[in-house]
């Protein structure tokens, strides 16, 4: 994306966000106020105004809730820290009503406030019915509210209220992202920032890693294109915690390690945006400024309101995260002692996520398997050999989220590591989901096809059914691997 495309994206995203936000305000206000209440009148006006803006170049506005994400006009709405909680609430609200979303037509501008409120009340009350979806559909298909259409949940999705583990994982991801954004924002505006929210979500994440490590690890394949720093921080926290779990750290240490990951790049809020998002190589001067961010992370962590002990636990690793195993790197240090364990873990997670994530200014990135190969070239110099082995072992030859081109001109996305029962030859033959192109669904170019085991052989010929031609980075094709993982 060019700079102007980026700003165009964020202003459009703001309108979409506003549309959802005002709609939810209406839902809440309708519970206590009458149609002529000032707050209701004002919020309804705001909502109709955003619909008018959004229907400038389209015939309707769809608001959809899918997999704990919100799409307005088939574009994913990006959460801001102050709206994360609200978004969660509205997703739960529609989940309880077994409704996937709404489609609103421009004729909404001609209706009376009382009619809009009547519809909102209908939504509010649907919670009481056993089959809320049926109740709601019977009203909206009767022509009573011609300016709105309810979108059914496709069959086969979870029952209302029954949250899958994946959804819980996605929710934790959104919350932990919100918590680090909030800390950064408060520190930038000189307000006091605490660690409680971040710690609470990290505790949930530690529970998830204990129950379902592969799923937890797969969360790190989420890439937020527009908010690289914080998405990266969450991914580094996740990957570090996974390494920590593999080397049997206690739950308490995993939480501390997660905090280190979350806050390691906090100092980047003080690096000017032009340097942070520069398209091309940094000049020597710019690089000097960039290099200050690890020390600045430490300074900012000191400012966080938390007990001294807790802060002491999370200062060293962020300070060390750009120092290498042989103590080269930055900030320059003349010490002879090794890097701390958390520092060595963080460096591995940090480099891996950085070279596998697309950035606004960097079009192509390494596919996960090539990234591991690249890191292995500097083992013992940049990275702790034992920990890097643990990491590679954990991710496998083709890490989950790698996009594979197969010999039958099909594309497969790695969703599970290989069974490996048949020995080393099959260690490189993971489970993949075949990707099918979907022409009618603009915001998702691919849909899930069959899940196949690449280690499977044809019983007649004794040959593998599929061969891997090459690996690609899913992110370069706009694919969020987590969407395809069950
Ligand atoms: Fe960094
Ligand atoms: Fe980093």
């Amino acid at each position: 994306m060019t700079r102007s495309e980026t700003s165009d994206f964020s202003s459009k995203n703001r309108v979409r966000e506003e549309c959802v936000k005002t709609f939810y305000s209406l839902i809440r206000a309708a519970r206590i106020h009458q149609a002529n209440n000032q707050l209701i009148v004002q919020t309804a006006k705001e909502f109709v105004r955003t619909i008018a803006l959004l229907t400038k170049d389209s015939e309707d506005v769809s608001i959809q809730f899918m997999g704990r994400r919100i799409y307005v006009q088939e574009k994913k709405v990006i959460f801001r820290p102050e709206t994360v909680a609200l978004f969660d609430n509205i997703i739960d609200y529609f989940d309880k009503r077994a409704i996937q979303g709404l489609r609103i037509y421009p004729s909404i501008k001609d209706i009376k406030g009382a009619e809009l409120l009547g519809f909102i009340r209908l939504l509010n009350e649907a919670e009481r019915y056993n089959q809320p979806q049926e109740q709601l559909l019977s009203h909206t298909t009767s022509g009573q509210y011609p300016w709105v259409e309810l979108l059914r949940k496709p069959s086969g999705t979870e029952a209302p209220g029954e949250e899958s583990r994946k959804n819980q994982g996605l929710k934790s991801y959104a919350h932990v992202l919100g918590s680090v954004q909030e800390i950064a924002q408060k520190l930038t505006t000189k307000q006091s920032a605490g660690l409680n929210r971040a710690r609470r979500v990290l505790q949930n994440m530690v529970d998830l890693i204990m129950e379902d490590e592969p799923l937890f690890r797969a969360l790190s394949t989420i890439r937020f294109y527009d908010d690289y720093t914080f998405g990266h921080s969450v991914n580094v926290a996740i990957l570090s915690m996974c390494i920590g779990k593999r080397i049997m750290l206690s739950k308490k240490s995993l939480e501390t390690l997660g905090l280190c990951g979350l806050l390691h790049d906090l100092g980047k809020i003080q690096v000017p945006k032009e340097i942070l998002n520069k398209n091309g190589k940094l000049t020597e001067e710019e690089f000097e400024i960039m290099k200050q961010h690890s020390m600045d992370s430490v300074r900012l962590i000191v400012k966080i309101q938390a007990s001294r002990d807790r802060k002491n636990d999370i200062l060293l690793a962020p300070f060390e995260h750009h120092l290498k195993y042989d103590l080269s790197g930055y900030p320059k240090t003349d010490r002879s002692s090794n890097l701390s364990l958390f520092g060595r873990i963080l460096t591995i997670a940090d480099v891996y996520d950085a070279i596998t994530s697309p950035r606004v200014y960097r079009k192509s990135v390494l596919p996960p398997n090539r990234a591991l190969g690249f890191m292995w070239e500097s083992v013992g110099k940049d990275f702790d050999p034992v920990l890097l082995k643990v990491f590679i072992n954990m991710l496998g030859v083709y890490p989950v989220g790698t996009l594979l081109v197969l010999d039958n001109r099909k594309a497969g996305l790695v969703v599970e590591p290989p069974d490996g029962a048949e020995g080393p030859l099959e260690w490189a033959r993971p489970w993949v989901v075949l990707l099918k192109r979907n022409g009618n669904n603009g915001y998702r170019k691919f849909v899930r096809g069959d899940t196949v085991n690449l280690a499977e052989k044809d019983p007649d010929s004794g040959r593998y059914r599929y061969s891997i031609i090459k690996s690609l980075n899913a992110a370069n094709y706009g694919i969020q691997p987590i969407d395809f993982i069950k």
Side-chain angles (χ1 to χ4, degrees):
M1 269 199 278
T2 63
R3 209 167 281 263
S4 73
E5 278 168 342
T6 313
S7 72
D8 187 39
F9 169 82
S10 44
S11 63
K12 284 188 177 150
N13 183 61
R14 201 50 69 84
V15 182
R16 290 180 204 121
E17 193 186 25
E18 206 47 43
C19 167
V20 180
K21 212 169 119 187
T22 46
F23 187 64
Y24 192 57
S25 305
L26 271 178
I27 286 174
R28 281 189 307 185
R31 289 204 161 120
I32 30 179
H33 298 300
Q34 296 299 319
N36 56 0
N37 170 275
Q38 261 315 304
L39 178 71
I40 296 251
V41 173
Q42 205 45 43
T43 320
K45 260 193 200 155
E46 273 301 297
F47 178 64
V48 174
R49 193 183 63 88
T50 61
I51 297 291
L53 277 175
L54 290 166
T55 44
K56 246 200 230 152
D57 22 54
S58 78
E59 289 170 4
D60 55 50
V61 177
S62 61
I63 307 175
Q64 296 186 72
F65 307 90
M66 285 152 78
R68 299 220 71 84
R69 302 208 174 109
I70 303 181
Y71 296 83
V72 170
Q73 281 177 315
E74 304 184 345
K75 295 276 185 324
K76 191 170 88 191
V77 183
I78 307 291
F79 297 51
R80 276 185 304 160
E82 58 271 36
T83 40
V84 163
L86 178 147
F87 273 67
D88 259 340
N89 292 343
I90 190 163
I91 288 169
D92 289 340
Y93 179 91
F94 275 87
D95 205 32
K96 278 190 193 134
R97 283 152 186 78
I99 288 290
Q100 183 170 292
L102 319 158
R103 194 180 300 284
I104 297 163
Y105 297 96
S107 56
I108 189 175
K109 68 174 188 327
D110 307 320
I111 64 163
K112 294 224 161 59
E115 186 176 335
L116 178 56
L117 197 69
F119 172 73
I120 304 269
R121 290 224 166 101
L122 184 70
L123 275 181
N124 280 349
E125 282 157 20
E127 202 177 350
R128 292 192 273 127
Y129 301 112
N130 280 342
Q131 300 212 298
Q133 193 190 41
E134 299 313 315
Q135 277 289 337
L136 285 166
L137 286 166
S138 70
H139 277 93
T140 49
T141 47
S142 66
Q144 201 179 346
Y145 304 106
W147 46 272
V148 62
E149 186 189 329
L150 286 176
L151 304 170
R152 277 173 187 274
K153 247 191 186 175
S155 54
T157 50
E158 305 108 85
E162 202 178 277
E163 245 186 345
S164 68
R165 200 176 274 167
K166 180 177 160 186
N167 279 351
Q168 281 176 23
L170 289 170
K171 203 168 170 179
S172 300
Y173 191 103
H175 270 298
V176 82
L177 181 77
S179 73
V180 62
Q181 285 174 321
E182 186 183 290
I183 292 174
Q185 198 183 39
K186 285 193 169 157
L187 289 172
T188 332
T189 51
K190 300 212 162 37
Q191 299 172 54
S192 70
L195 285 177
N196 286 348
R197 180 174 171 205
R199 278 188 44 226
R200 253 195 331 264
V201 209
L202 280 167
Q203 279 160 2
N204 289 341
M205 291 188 127
V206 172
D207 291 338
L208 184 63
I209 194 178
M210 292 297 169
E211 279 168 36
D212 193 341
E213 193 206 302
L215 172 73
F216 181 72
R217 211 185 314 132
L219 288 177
S220 74
T221 62
I222 296 179
R223 313 274 181 217
F224 283 97
Y225 303 90
D226 64 317
D227 192 347
Y228 172 74
T229 304
F230 299 120
H232 162 74
S233 304
V234 178
N235 293 346
V236 170
I238 291 174
L239 292 169
S240 302
M241 288 160 86
C242 288
I243 302 176
K245 193 209 160 205
R246 289 281 168 135
I247 58 166
M248 316 282 273
L249 292 184
S250 67
K251 277 183 158 192
K252 181 98 196 46
S253 304
L254 288 182
E255 186 198 309
T256 311
L257 179 57
L259 263 185
C260 291
L262 219 50
L263 303 177
H264 78 282
D265 270 340
L266 198 56
K268 281 197 181 162
I269 58 177
Q270 292 179 340
V271 178
K273 285 253 169 345
E274 310 80 75
I275 300 182
L276 210 53
N277 300 324
K278 185 176 172 188
N279 201 345
K281 210 171 175 251
L282 296 184
T283 64
E284 219 166 280
E285 238 177 19
E286 289 166 336
F287 191 48
E288 281 310 312
I289 298 175
M290 187 69 160
K291 280 186 349 197
Q292 289 166 16
H293 83 270
S294 32
M295 198 54 223
D296 283 340
S297 294
V298 174
R299 289 194 189 102
L300 290 166
I301 293 171
V302 171
K303 285 192 187 155
I304 291 177
Q305 290 211 319
S307 74
R308 188 173 296 179
D309 282 352
R310 188 165 301 284
K311 285 195 279 190
N312 279 346
D313 289 345
I314 53 172
L315 288 174
L316 188 55
F319 172 78
E320 292 176 334
H321 82 272
H322 284 286
L323 279 171
K324 300 181 172 168
Y325 185 62
D326 64 2
L327 295 175
S328 61
Y330 62 87
K332 283 260 162 299
T333 169
D334 48 14
R335 71 194 225 188
S336 54
S337 59
N338 287 341
L339 295 186
S340 69
L341 174 65
F342 283 11
R344 281 173 284 151
I345 294 177
L346 226 55
T347 318
I348 292 175
D350 184 45
V351 170
Y352 178 78
D353 188 71
I355 59 179
T356 54
S357 298
R359 302 286 301 267
V360 174
Y361 53 81
R362 191 174 55 196
K363 281 235 166 73
S364 73
V365 284
L366 292 179
N369 64 314
R370 298 236 331 261
L372 292 178
F374 172 79
M375 287 171 73
W376 187 251
E377 286 171 19
S378 330
V379 71
K381 188 191 159 293
D382 292 5
F383 309 108
D384 179 324
V386 176
L387 290 173
L388 188 58
K389 270 185 209 159
V390 169
F391 188 63
I392 293 175
N393 229 318
M394 175 177 96
L395 296 187
V397 178
Y398 291 114
V400 168
T402 310
L403 181 61
L404 297 176
V405 178
L406 306 172
D407 57 346
N408 50 9
R409 300 197 55 202
K410 287 192 166 149
L413 187 73
V414 180
V415 289
E416 251 182 71
D419 299 336
E422 302 296 318
L425 268 182
E426 293 191 346
W427 292 344
R429 296 191 154 268
W431 286 80
V432 301
V433 158
L434 297 177
L435 299 180
K436 291 196 292 189
R437 267 189 189 278
N438 183 5
N440 343 322
N441 225 349
Y443 55 100
R444 275 187 188 177
K445 276 196 292 189
F446 296 98
V447 291
R448 183 200 290 261
D450 294 336
T451 304
V452 297
N453 181 359
L454 296 187
E456 201 179 275
K457 286 179 181 165
D458 184 288
D460 298 332
S461 65
R463 292 207 194 118
Y464 289 118
R465 279 189 203 275
Y466 302 89
S467 329
I468 300 167
I469 306 290
K470 61 177 171 181
S471 66
L472 300 166
N473 195 318
N476 289 344
Y477 296 84
I479 297 170
Q480 287 264 27
I482 191 79
D483 289 342
F484 294 88
I485 293 165
K486 272 195 187 141

